[in-house]
Amino acid sequence: MSSSASRPLRRTALDAVHRSLGATMTDFAGWDMPLRYGSERDEHVAVRTKAGLFDLSHMGEITVTGPQAAALLNHALVGNIASVGVGRARYTMICREDGGILDDLIVYRLAETEYMVVANASNAQVVLDALSERAAGFDAEVRDDRDAYALIAVQGPESPGILKSLTDSDLDGLKYYAGLPGTVAGVPALIARTGYTGEDGFELFVKPEHAVELWQALTKAGESAGLVPCGLSCRDTLRLEAGMPLYGHELTEELTPFDAGLGRVVKFEKEGDFVGREALLAAAERAEQAPPRVLVGLVCEGRRIPRAGYGVVAGGEVVGEVTSGAPSPTLGKPIAMAYVDAAHAAPGTAGVGVDIRGNHEPLEVVALPFYKRRK
């Protein structure tokens, strides 16, 4: 995840705020980002029970505009982007010609011929390059807008109330995976109802020069509701409990969406050809005939934490590999996601363990997600 030694770390518009709050900073995909402000467990619990405030300005925004913007995105990505209504968003992926996942994305349709593609920080340049290359022959423009936005997220059960106190926008009418332009604390923003924590929440795309003002307004508005600033560390444990994949862990270039159990995002029925179509058709057939390893949840009986790369074992054989693992503040036990052979993937499968430095630690195979919020 580290940037090359020669390149200085990029800083978000909120960098001085994080430092004033005593954040522990870390290099994440070439950005200097807050890992935690105090206790990552307390930050995690705040998001589950009250609300948390995140700086996500490291994410990569790419704008696609023009008469053939929808056609270009349908060709470049695996989803049916042309069918996304104005003001709505869709989770999708961009794949290589051989079907390997380059990144998972959220695409917002901002207007009839304008879309915003949001890529993971570590893959933003790769996605930008691929979209620019795939735009050849289309009447559409691909624009790098990474410096045009700061991104602030408010997540947790108290987040609708906090945001309502700062905006006249119709938050009740804003569906999950939708976005609307509005004003929050006097700042123009694209208000999106997406998230990566398993909780209700909002992501606010604003100009970088408005980021500090908005962060401070949200902090003040959320004070009585228990809002706390949150770093990347608790974001990881929150998304893990919610069973959400992380690129570089559950998703890689070596896996197709079908290998990752996310074949549903590939829309073969859409109009026209798209990059990776043939390879993905073959991957879909393979998955039907011989199911690939299945992504499952693992709950440990002991206290030791299974980390990415550790082997999952049964009957003395390696039957899978851990992709993400951490202590779960909500369950009070270590948890992990892992790809395991189909024969050992059913919840409750007996005799499965994880190899932690030569010791086989017993664990329970469970269905994902580990945690689901009450609607």
Side-chain angles (χ1 to χ4, degrees), residues 15 64 67 134 146 182 200 238 241 245 252 280 308 371:
D15 184 76
V64 180
R134 295 173 190 187
R146 284 177 287 179
D200 190 11
L238 289 159
E241 287 184 350
T252 70
L280 290 167
Y371 166 85

Side-chain angles (χ1 to χ4, degrees), residues 31-115:
W31 289 82
D32 208 9
M33 297 296 293
L35 189 63
R36 69 181 77 80
Y37 297 85
S39 152
E40 53 206 44
R41 190 185 181 283
D42 290 351
E43 290 171 24
H44 180 112
V45 171
V47 176
R48 286 275 175 262
T49 59
K50 293 169 183 160
L53 188 60
F54 296 84
D55 177 10
L56 305 179
S57 303
H58 61 313
M59 300 295 279
E61 295 88 4
I62 300 160
T63 304
V64 180
T65 56
Q68 290 189 302
L72 160 58
L73 290 170
N74 260 16
H75 164 72
L77 312 179
V78 300
N80 187 352
I81 307 305
S83 68
V84 178
V86 173
R88 298 308 303 264
R90 184 156 296 165
Y91 176 78
T92 187
M93 292 181 186
I94 183 166
C95 289
R96 302 189 308 197
E97 197 65 70
D98 68 0
I101 303 166
L102 283 174
D103 201 13
D104 62 333
L105 312 163
I106 295 179
V107 180
Y108 296 90
R109 189 170 195 167
L110 304 180
E112 197 56 44
T113 59
E114 184 181 1
Y115 295 82

Side-chain angles (χ1 to χ4, degrees), residues 212-261:
V212 172
E213 181 189 341
L214 181 58
W215 179 280
Q216 288 169 343
L218 287 162
T219 299
K220 196 174 173 203
E223 220 168 3
S224 58
L227 175 86
V228 301
C230 294
L232 292 179
S233 192
C234 83
R235 184 168 154 87
D236 192 48
T237 52
L238 289 159
R239 70 93 196 166
L240 179 55
E241 287 184 350
M244 294 175 167
L246 175 63
Y247 195 89
H249 290 256
E250 289 71 41
L251 308 174
T252 70
E253 281 192 44
E254 280 63 57
L255 296 173
T256 71
F258 294 94
D259 297 323

